[in-house]
Amino acid sequence: MKNLPYRDTTKPAEQQGMFRKFEVRRVDGSDKPGGKHHGCRYFVLDLDHDPHAAAAMAAYGEACKGTHPALSAEISAEYPQFFPRWPNHAAAMTDRIFHEARGIMGTENYGQEEALRMAILHVMRAYSGSKGD
């Protein structure tokens, strides 16, 4: 993502990949030279207008559950329709959409790619309208 090109104004945004659109600054100043976050890359989501942002947020909330439980809980409360309703792993294993997402990723990556698989699952749900039944 470094050195993203500027948007080509001769084409609609939907016909382009990633391009430079925002300049992000940290409120604590840690993005300045010498700071911990100087030179870090960021990806901005429009949570009010982008129809895919909610699924992305839910996937992030699920992925950060182990390290940032409070953040995960807040995201889950904001986007409950995208969070899996499974009480445990065994329940997930009986879910048709979970199996489809798992098939896409391949079983050889199961333990290492759980966060990505969950992201695929959330996106599939967003597009299909499925509740996982």
Side-chain angles (χ1 to χ4, degrees), residues 26 28-40 42:
R26 294 185 63 98
D28 66 0
S30 63
D31 62 312
K32 294 180 180 169
K36 175 182 176 184
H37 297 287
H38 178 69
C40 287
Y42 298 92

Side-chain angles (χ1 to χ4, degrees), residues 55-114:
M57 288 295 294
Y60 185 84
E62 181 65 25
C64 75
K65 191 181 341 185
T67 58
H68 296 79
L71 175 61
S72 178
E74 287 181 23
I75 293 172
S76 174
E78 185 74 22
Y79 303 101
Q81 71 274 25
F82 291 100
F83 266 72
R85 299 179 301 153
W86 312 306
N88 55 47
H89 181 74
M93 295 305 293
T94 64
D95 187 293
R96 175 185 57 83
I97 295 175
F98 182 88
H99 280 287
E100 288 179 33
R102 187 173 179 190
I104 290 168
M105 293 304 299
T107 56
E108 69 278 0
N109 294 321
Y110 179 68
Q112 302 166 8
E113 301 294 334
E114 185 65 20

